[in-house]
Amino acid sequence: MMTVLAGCSSTHQHMTTEDMLQGGFWQRNVVYWFSLVLDKFADLFNGEYGLAILLLTIVVRTLILPLTLKQYRSSKAMQAIQPEIEKIRKKHKDNPQLVQQETMKLFQQNGVNPMAGCLPMIVQMPVFIALYNSISTNSAIYGHKFLGLQLGLNVKDQGLWFAYLLPVIAAITTFTQTKMMQSQQKTAMPGMQIMLLIFPVMIFVMALQFPVALPLYWIYSNVYTIVQNYFLYVRPSKRKESVPAK
C-alpha cells in the first residue's frame, strides 16, 4: 500500500482545503472532507497539525475497526481448519482439481469464506489513501512546526540531527507490527521473512524523502496497529499459556 501512496504523492499540489472543491471527483468528494476535518482538529489544538494528524488517525482507524475485527475472525477461522487443509493436500497431492473441490467443501462445512480476510483490507485502502492525500495536499500543514520540525520539509532539509529519528521510529514500528503479525502465523508464509526485513527499510527510505507530516502519520498508524494487535493477538495468547493444563 505504501508504494501506491508514494506514487500518489508525486501528483499532489499544495492547496487550501477550500481550493480542493475545484479539483477532480476524488479530491472534491473525498479528500476535501478529510482535509476539512484535519483543519477543524487543528483548531482544537491551536493550530497544531501534528496533534490534528494524530487525532484524525485515531478516529479513522477506530471507525474501520469493525472491518479489522472481521478480518481477524476470518484469519482465526482459516488457522483452525489449516490442519484439515494440509491433510487434503497430502491425500490428493496428485489431483489438484480434487484438492480444490475438497478444500471448498471444507470451507462450506465450517462457514469459512477465504475472501473474507481480503475484502476488509480492500475496503480500507481508499480510506487510508484519502487520509494520506489530505495530509499531502493541505497547504496549511506546511506552514506549521511540530516538535521543532517543519511539517512541510523532508528530514534532510530540516538541518536538525533529531529529525532523523522520525524515519528510524517509522522503520522500527513497521518492523514491530510486521513481526507481531508473523508470530501469529502457525505456518510460515512464503516471502514473509524477506518482507519483514525489506519493508522497514523501504519505509525508512521513503520517510527520508517525504515531508515529515507523512512519516508522522505512518508512525501514528503503526503505533495504533501495534496496540490493536497486542489486544487481538498477543494478550489472548498469553492468557491461553497461563491456563494450567488439565
Side-chain angles (χ1 to χ4, degrees):
M1 187 176 70
M2 293 301 180
T3 305
V4 175
L5 298 178
C8 293
S9 70
S10 60
T11 60
H12 286 160
Q13 296 179 348
H14 305 156
M15 59 182 71
T16 65
T17 299
E18 293 303 316
D19 288 340
M20 294 179 191
L21 290 172
Q22 309 303 317
F25 178 85
W26 173 257
Q27 193 171 61
R28 187 172 64 249
N29 295 284
V30 182
V31 179
Y32 165 78
W33 294 104
F34 276 84
S35 187
L36 182 64
V37 172
L38 197 58
D39 289 341
K40 297 300 182 183
F41 285 168
D43 290 341
L44 294 176
F45 298 114
N46 297 318
E48 286 289 351
Y49 275 91
L51 296 178
I53 294 170
L54 170 60
L55 183 55
L56 184 57
T57 303
I58 292 173
V59 169
V60 170
R61 293 300 304 270
T62 302
L63 287 175
I64 62 176
L65 189 57
L67 292 174
T68 304
L69 293 175
K70 183 178 180 181
Q71 190 175 13
Y72 165 75
R73 287 192 292 267
S74 174
S75 175
K76 297 297 287 185
M78 285 293 292
Q79 286 185 17
I81 64 172
Q82 197 63 39
E84 295 299 320
I85 294 176
E86 290 299 320
K87 289 179 182 179
I88 292 173
R89 288 174 179 169
K90 290 179 180 179
K91 183 178 180 181
H92 306 290
K93 59 182 179 180
D94 297 325
N95 192 337
Q97 187 174 355
L98 188 57
V99 168
Q100 185 177 5
Q101 291 175 356
E102 291 296 317
T103 302
M104 292 305 298
K105 188 185 297 183
L106 184 64
F107 288 157
Q108 292 174 358
Q109 290 172 349
N110 291 271
V112 174
N113 181 358
M115 292 302 295
C118 302
L119 289 176
M121 183 59 67
I122 294 173
V123 173
Q124 288 177 43
M125 283 189 67
V127 176
F128 287 133
I129 293 174
L131 177 58
Y132 177 94
N133 288 167
S134 66
I135 292 172
S136 302
T137 309
N138 192 326
S139 60
I141 295 177
Y142 289 76
H144 289 271
K145 285 187 176 182
F146 183 65
L147 300 177
L149 301 176
Q150 186 75 32
L151 293 178
L153 297 178
N154 65 34
V155 167
K156 293 183 286 187
D157 291 338
Q158 298 287 336
L160 299 166
W161 68 267
F162 59 85
Y164 287 88
L165 292 175
L166 272 183
V168 171
I169 295 172
I172 291 173
T173 52
T174 299
F175 176 87
T176 302
Q177 67 159 314
T178 308
K179 183 68 174 179
M180 288 175 75
M181 291 299 296
Q182 184 191 49
S183 65
Q184 300 306 313
Q185 298 293 331
K186 292 184 178 180
T187 57
M189 295 177 63
M192 192 68 179
Q193 196 65 35
I194 296 176
M195 188 177 75
L196 180 65
L197 299 174
I198 293 179
F199 204 41
V201 174
M202 184 180 73
I203 293 300
F204 176 82
V205 173
M206 291 172 65
L208 287 175
Q209 305 297 325
F210 284 23
V212 298
L214 301 177
L216 195 61
Y217 156 62
W218 292 340
I219 291 170
Y220 290 154
S221 186
N222 285 345
V223 171
Y224 187 104
T225 302
I226 290 168
V227 174
Q228 171 186 280
N229 288 346
Y230 173 79
F231 285 102
L232 283 178
Y233 301 107
V234 179
R235 195 174 180 183
S237 296
K238 287 183 177 180
R239 283 180 177 176
K240 287 181 181 179
E241 290 173 1
S242 64
V243 175
K246 294 182 180 180

